[in-house]
Amino acid sequence: GQSIFDRMAAAKHSIAGQGLAKSVCKATTEEIIGPKKKHLDYLLQCTNEPNVSIPQLADLLIERTQHSNWVVVYKSLITIHNLVNYGNERFTQYLASNNC
């Protein structure tokens, strides 16, 4: 299952009311399986929501690529790949325009 660190991080984001950060955290856990479809689907949906900050979403994912655990980094890259391929074009444009 998820590590205690993953659970604590998700709980911290829940308490702070940071749903986007919680979803990124859940999609990029240390668990050695791919990101769960429900988390990828939620993040894909977020790219189409006008009230969701694309810069914040991208920054959260890029931050996860700097993690010390290779599984988290790999899952972050898979999530970014999914959002670039299937998400709203705003996400890809943000990444391209900000040299992320």
Side-chain angles (χ1 to χ4, degrees):
Q2 293 180 19
S3 74
I4 189 70
F5 298 112
D6 289 334
R7 290 175 191 258
M8 287 175 51
K12 181 183 82 170
H13 295 309
S14 285
I15 291 168
Q18 300 169 326
L20 194 59
K22 179 183 176 186
S23 293
V24 167
C25 191
K26 290 274 206 177
T28 60
T29 62
E30 295 180 2
E31 199 174 7
I32 304 181
I33 58 168
K36 288 188 179 174
K37 184 178 180 334
K38 68 180 180 180
H39 300 304
L40 289 178
D41 288 346
Y42 176 77
L43 293 172
L44 281 171
Q45 179 186 342
C46 286
T47 66
N48 291 308
E49 295 293 327
N51 60 335
V52 169
S53 169
I54 294 296
Q56 182 188 12
L57 173 58
D59 291 345
L60 287 166
L61 283 165
I62 291 165
E63 185 180 314
R64 297 293 279 178
T65 66
Q66 307 302 311
H67 200 278
S68 60
N69 186 309
W70 71 269
V71 177
V72 173
V73 173
Y74 188 65
K75 289 168 88 169
S76 301
L77 294 172
I78 290 170
T79 303
I80 291 169
H81 176 79
N82 260 285
L83 296 181
V84 165
N85 284 323
Y86 307 112
N88 190 293
E89 192 177 322
R90 295 183 309 145
F91 183 79
T92 306
Q93 287 173 342
Y94 176 79
L95 291 179
S97 67
N98 288 284
N99 297 321
C100 294

